[in-house]
Amino acid sequence: MALKVNPDERANGQAAPATTNVTIDAQREAREARIHQLLRDDDELLGKAYDSRLMRRLGGYLTPYKPRVIVAIILMTASTLFGVAGPAIIGFAIDDGIRAGSADVLRLWTIVFLVTSIGEWLTNRARVHIMAYVGTRIVADVRSELFRHLHRLTLNFYSNYSVGRLMSRLIGDVGVLLDFMTWSITGLFRSVFNLVGIVIAMLLLNWQLALVAFAVMPLMVWLTNYWRQRVRQAYRATRQRLSLINGFLNESISGIRVTKSFTRETRNFQYFDDLNRSFFDANVEATRLAALFFPGVDFIGSLATALVIGVGGWLVLGDALTAGTLVAIVLYVERFFDPIRELAQRYNTFQATMAASERIFELLDLQPDLVDAPDAQPLPRVSGDVVFDDVSFAYREGDRSVLHNMNLHARPGERIALVGETGAGKSTIIRLLARFYDITGGSLRIDGHDIRAVTSDSLRQQLGIVLQDTFLFTGTVADNIRYGRLDASDAEVRAAARAVGADDFIRRLPDGYEAEVGENGSNLSVGQRQLVSFARALLADPRILILDEATSSVDTATERIIQSALDTLMKGRTSFVIAHRLSTIIGADQIVVLDHGRIVEQGTHEELLARRGRYYNLYTMQFRKTV
């Protein structure tokens, strides 16, 4: 919504206050409505604090490291015993050493206390080291499994699943698992072990005084339930809003050139401020609950200590209890609430882990919608005879067909040009040829082999594909040219670059072929990136070449260089060329004119011009624009 300003007042630099205020309020309401809509659309699961099904599946990743986990459990048990023994030892030192006036006994218990303290430190250190290793390895296993699985999924999946969500799974959700596997699992068991050990020790020392300390537990249970019921939603709200902030930051940084071009900085600042304020409000609520719960636990702990001191002191005065036992139980009471605090702090981690695990396993359970047939055979070296026999295709079952009963025969070495308006079906044809999608009717054969009866890898190894949007990987120029043929020598890399006219500009780079291209070739111009992609395709030595508007992003001078290289590249190869500039496909053996998924004209350049039909209109219209 544009900001309305009175034209007369704009001249002297004063905006109309009433209109401006109304418009700003409307803009803010629109932005807040957008934030709420994003929150409703957000796929962040609320998650259970504990889900046995997910825990069993996560536990499966522990199996290879079971011996280490068993050692860690033994060390944790020993650490708990050492820790729980501490207050009792202090009590014995007071009663048997100080009160009895025996320096030897006091010295003995002091040494025992030091030994248990050292034992607790050593076993804790070893346990943390083992579980940090196990947790990190498990998370690495999950991340590798996810990465491999994503490469098995088809393009249809990526057309319906955003990159941002995938990165959230690979980084954010897997990161949650790292915290859980490394610290939370052992932290949970350690807290439970300590809690049980402290309760047993207190009951053994003096069960009456232990029951006095436990008298505050109903209050503790009420506070914990109150906090748990509310903090679940509060922490979820903070995670959702932080996810929106991260997504907006990523989008803003990626599109900074567009933002500056359209002077959208102020609008973006306002929108980010609204997101940031929304996150602040959610975080304040979570902080308020934390400020209620944890000081509340401390107060209940102090109340329990006061009750124990009061009742225990009265028993000591009546000689019904020794001072050492009272001190030991007071120390146990102080330690009793530490595991409760830790379990509460881990509650959000448990909940986030269940939600993250569900999202990860949901992704891992997705099956590719295009797989090789069980009896699929490798495609032998082909000559490049391609036949589309009555081919029809729709991207989804029940949707309108994109191609209708298409028949096309490309003989070995022929150049087939695909022309037509946007949406005519040109890109769909090459996607079917590479078997990124399966046809829904008819057959598609290469050298007589139905491509559904051969393995996808053997098919694509004989295809060379150069897309309109060239993608280069982080690394050197040579690495990118060698991407489709890793065993190529440096001489072969340079020969491929020379053949497509890329050698000159590569040699002028500071490090030549070892120059870093940057993320997606950010250090190269559009034309240079396209030349590198041509060299990459040539080096792979494909039998069938697919060019998807490969020269549309380059200037006329660069196009001449590329066109000359293309003649070399396409020589002896069956080539399918999607052409934006019709002047580049005049020499094609067949020009196929498409309209709404149907072939409406087919022939050579001269034949189609002579018909004065659809191709003639497209060519003459484009020619007039360039004159």
Side-chain angles (χ1 to χ4, degrees), residues 482-502:
R482 195 181 277 115
Y483 190 80
R485 187 180 154 199
L486 298 178
D487 60 346
S489 66
D490 292 342
E492 289 172 320
V493 168
R494 290 183 172 85
R498 281 194 298 272
V500 299

mmCIF file of all heavy atoms in Angstrom, residues 482-502:
data_model
loop_
_atom_site.group_PDB
_atom_site.id
_atom_site.type_symbol
_atom_site.label_atom_id
_atom_site.label_comp_id
_atom_site.label_asym_id
_atom_site.label_seq_id
_atom_site.Cartn_x
_atom_site.Cartn_y
_atom_site.Cartn_z
ATOM 1 N N ARG A 482 35.390 -29.834 -15.061
ATOM 2 C CA ARG A 482 35.617 -31.269 -14.868
ATOM 3 C C ARG A 482 34.447 -31.937 -14.132
ATOM 4 O O ARG A 482 34.476 -33.144 -13.887
ATOM 5 C CB ARG A 482 36.916 -31.457 -14.080
ATOM 6 C CG ARG A 482 37.487 -32.849 -14.100
ATOM 7 C CD ARG A 482 38.750 -32.942 -13.271
ATOM 8 N NE ARG A 482 39.939 -32.503 -14.003
ATOM 9 C CZ ARG A 482 40.671 -31.447 -13.694
ATOM 10 N NH1 ARG A 482 40.350 -30.688 -12.657
ATOM 11 N NH2 ARG A 482 41.737 -31.131 -14.404
ATOM 12 N N TYR A 483 33.398 -31.207 -13.804
ATOM 13 C CA TYR A 483 32.335 -31.703 -12.929
ATOM 14 C C TYR A 483 31.683 -32.974 -13.470
ATOM 15 O O TYR A 483 31.371 -33.885 -12.700
ATOM 16 C CB TYR A 483 31.270 -30.613 -12.751
ATOM 17 C CG TYR A 483 30.253 -30.925 -11.685
ATOM 18 C CD1 TYR A 483 30.534 -30.722 -10.347
ATOM 19 C CD2 TYR A 483 29.001 -31.442 -12.020
ATOM 20 C CE1 TYR A 483 29.605 -31.015 -9.362
ATOM 21 C CE2 TYR A 483 28.066 -31.732 -11.040
ATOM 22 C CZ TYR A 483 28.380 -31.524 -9.714
ATOM 23 O OH TYR A 483 27.449 -31.827 -8.749
ATOM 24 N N GLY A 484 31.482 -33.069 -14.764
ATOM 25 C CA GLY A 484 30.823 -34.254 -15.326
ATOM 26 C C GLY A 484 31.773 -35.359 -15.730
ATOM 27 O O GLY A 484 31.333 -36.424 -16.188
ATOM 28 N N ARG A 485 33.093 -35.119 -15.560
ATOM 29 C CA ARG A 485 34.071 -36.149 -15.910
ATOM 30 C C ARG A 485 35.302 -35.933 -15.037
ATOM 31 O O ARG A 485 36.255 -35.237 -15.403
ATOM 32 C CB ARG A 485 34.437 -36.039 -17.390
ATOM 33 C CG ARG A 485 35.317 -37.176 -17.894
ATOM 34 C CD ARG A 485 35.631 -36.988 -19.354
ATOM 35 N NE ARG A 485 36.878 -37.640 -19.712
ATOM 36 C CZ ARG A 485 37.576 -37.349 -20.794
ATOM 37 N NH1 ARG A 485 37.145 -36.410 -21.626
ATOM 38 N NH2 ARG A 485 38.695 -37.974 -21.050
ATOM 39 N N LEU A 486 35.273 -36.540 -13.863
ATOM 40 C CA LEU A 486 36.271 -36.257 -12.836
ATOM 41 C C LEU A 486 37.664 -36.755 -13.209
ATOM 42 O O LEU A 486 38.660 -36.263 -12.664
ATOM 43 C CB LEU A 486 35.833 -36.886 -11.504
ATOM 44 C CG LEU A 486 34.517 -36.348 -10.928
ATOM 45 C CD1 LEU A 486 34.182 -37.080 -9.636
ATOM 46 C CD2 LEU A 486 34.596 -34.847 -10.681
ATOM 47 N N ASP A 487 37.748 -37.725 -14.122
ATOM 48 C CA ASP A 487 39.057 -38.270 -14.468
ATOM 49 C C ASP A 487 39.732 -37.513 -15.614
ATOM 50 O O ASP A 487 40.800 -37.916 -16.085
ATOM 51 C CB ASP A 487 38.935 -39.752 -14.839
ATOM 52 C CG ASP A 487 38.014 -39.975 -16.034
ATOM 53 O OD1 ASP A 487 37.278 -39.030 -16.400
ATOM 54 O OD2 ASP A 487 38.022 -41.088 -16.598
ATOM 55 N N ALA A 488 39.138 -36.419 -16.071
ATOM 56 C CA ALA A 488 39.711 -35.656 -17.177
ATOM 57 C C ALA A 488 41.024 -34.995 -16.753
ATOM 58 O O ALA A 488 41.144 -34.475 -15.646
ATOM 59 C CB ALA A 488 38.727 -34.597 -17.664
ATOM 60 N N SER A 489 41.991 -35.005 -17.641
ATOM 61 C CA SER A 489 43.289 -34.386 -17.361
ATOM 62 C C SER A 489 43.202 -32.871 -17.536
ATOM 63 O O SER A 489 42.239 -32.346 -18.108
ATOM 64 C CB SER A 489 44.351 -34.949 -18.303
ATOM 65 O OG SER A 489 44.069 -34.568 -19.642
ATOM 66 N N ASP A 490 44.229 -32.174 -17.054
ATOM 67 C CA ASP A 490 44.270 -30.719 -17.215
ATOM 68 C C ASP A 490 44.283 -30.342 -18.687
ATOM 69 O O ASP A 490 43.656 -29.341 -19.087
ATOM 70 C CB ASP A 490 45.503 -30.142 -16.516
ATOM 71 C CG ASP A 490 45.416 -30.259 -14.995
ATOM 72 O OD1 ASP A 490 44.288 -30.463 -14.494
ATOM 73 O OD2 ASP A 490 46.459 -30.141 -14.329
ATOM 74 N N ALA A 491 44.982 -31.115 -19.504
ATOM 75 C CA ALA A 491 45.042 -30.827 -20.933
ATOM 76 C C ALA A 491 43.665 -30.956 -21.575
ATOM 77 O O ALA A 491 43.279 -30.142 -22.429
ATOM 78 C CB ALA A 491 46.038 -31.776 -21.609
ATOM 79 N N GLU A 492 42.897 -31.967 -21.163
ATOM 80 C CA GLU A 492 41.552 -32.144 -21.708
ATOM 81 C C GLU A 492 40.620 -31.026 -21.264
ATOM 82 O O GLU A 492 39.757 -30.581 -22.031
ATOM 83 C CB GLU A 492 40.999 -33.507 -21.269
ATOM 84 C CG GLU A 492 41.690 -34.682 -21.947
ATOM 85 C CD GLU A 492 41.263 -36.021 -21.371
ATOM 86 O OE1 GLU A 492 41.108 -36.103 -20.134
ATOM 87 O OE2 GLU A 492 41.093 -36.980 -22.155
ATOM 88 N N VAL A 493 40.793 -30.561 -20.032
ATOM 89 C CA VAL A 493 39.992 -29.435 -19.542
ATOM 90 C C VAL A 493 40.266 -28.193 -20.378
ATOM 91 O O VAL A 493 39.341 -27.488 -20.815
ATOM 92 C CB VAL A 493 40.302 -29.167 -18.049
ATOM 93 C CG1 VAL A 493 39.699 -27.838 -17.604
ATOM 94 C CG2 VAL A 493 39.773 -30.301 -17.177
ATOM 95 N N ARG A 494 41.541 -27.917 -20.655
ATOM 96 C CA ARG A 494 41.907 -26.742 -21.444
ATOM 97 C C ARG A 494 41.435 -26.883 -22.893
ATOM 98 O O ARG A 494 40.991 -25.902 -23.513
ATOM 99 C CB ARG A 494 43.419 -26.525 -21.395
ATOM 100 C CG ARG A 494 43.921 -26.071 -20.028
ATOM 101 C CD ARG A 494 45.425 -25.803 -20.040
ATOM 102 N NE ARG A 494 45.868 -25.200 -18.796
ATOM 103 C CZ ARG A 494 46.194 -25.891 -17.706
ATOM 104 N NH1 ARG A 494 46.156 -27.219 -17.746
ATOM 105 N NH2 ARG A 494 46.564 -25.263 -16.606
ATOM 106 N N ALA A 495 41.494 -28.100 -23.415
ATOM 107 C CA ALA A 495 41.036 -28.319 -24.787
ATOM 108 C C ALA A 495 39.540 -28.055 -24.910
ATOM 109 O O ALA A 495 39.077 -27.446 -25.894
ATOM 110 C CB ALA A 495 41.359 -29.755 -25.214
ATOM 111 N N ALA A 496 38.760 -28.493 -23.921
ATOM 112 C CA ALA A 496 37.317 -28.237 -23.944
ATOM 113 C C ALA A 496 37.034 -26.746 -23.848
ATOM 114 O O ALA A 496 36.139 -26.224 -24.528
ATOM 115 C CB ALA A 496 36.644 -28.984 -22.794
ATOM 116 N N ALA A 497 37.789 -26.039 -23.014
ATOM 117 C CA ALA A 497 37.595 -24.593 -22.881
ATOM 118 C C ALA A 497 37.944 -23.871 -24.176
ATOM 119 O O ALA A 497 37.240 -22.933 -24.590
ATOM 120 C CB ALA A 497 38.444 -24.063 -21.723
ATOM 121 N N ARG A 498 39.023 -24.299 -24.831
ATOM 122 C CA ARG A 498 39.396 -23.669 -26.105
ATOM 123 C C ARG A 498 38.329 -23.899 -27.161
ATOM 124 O O ARG A 498 38.011 -23.007 -27.960
ATOM 125 C CB ARG A 498 40.745 -24.221 -26.594
ATOM 126 C CG ARG A 498 41.951 -23.604 -25.906
ATOM 127 C CD ARG A 498 43.231 -23.927 -26.668
ATOM 128 N NE ARG A 498 43.485 -25.368 -26.713
ATOM 129 C CZ ARG A 498 44.160 -26.040 -25.796
ATOM 130 N NH1 ARG A 498 44.660 -25.389 -24.744
ATOM 131 N NH2 ARG A 498 44.356 -27.338 -25.905
ATOM 132 N N ALA A 499 37.752 -25.087 -27.169
ATOM 133 C CA ALA A 499 36.757 -25.432 -28.190
ATOM 134 C C ALA A 499 35.526 -24.543 -28.104
ATOM 135 O O ALA A 499 34.894 -24.262 -29.135
ATOM 136 C CB ALA A 499 36.359 -26.895 -28.055
ATOM 137 N N VAL A 500 35.164 -24.101 -26.918
ATOM 138 C CA VAL A 500 33.964 -23.263 -26.768
ATOM 139 C C VAL A 500 34.315 -21.790 -26.618
ATOM 140 O O VAL A 500 33.442 -20.965 -26.320
ATOM 141 C CB VAL A 500 33.109 -23.723 -25.566
ATOM 142 C CG1 VAL A 500 32.638 -25.144 -25.752
ATOM 143 C CG2 VAL A 500 33.867 -23.570 -24.259
ATOM 144 N N GLY A 501 35.586 -21.447 -26.785
ATOM 145 C CA GLY A 501 35.979 -20.045 -26.721
ATOM 146 C C GLY A 501 36.103 -19.487 -25.326
ATOM 147 O O GLY A 501 36.029 -18.261 -25.142
ATOM 148 N N ALA A 502 36.295 -20.363 -24.335
ATOM 149 C CA ALA A 502 36.410 -19.896 -22.946
ATOM 150 C C ALA A 502 37.849 -19.740 -22.498
ATOM 151 O O ALA A 502 38.116 -19.120 -21.461
ATOM 152 C CB ALA A 502 35.690 -20.865 -22.014
#
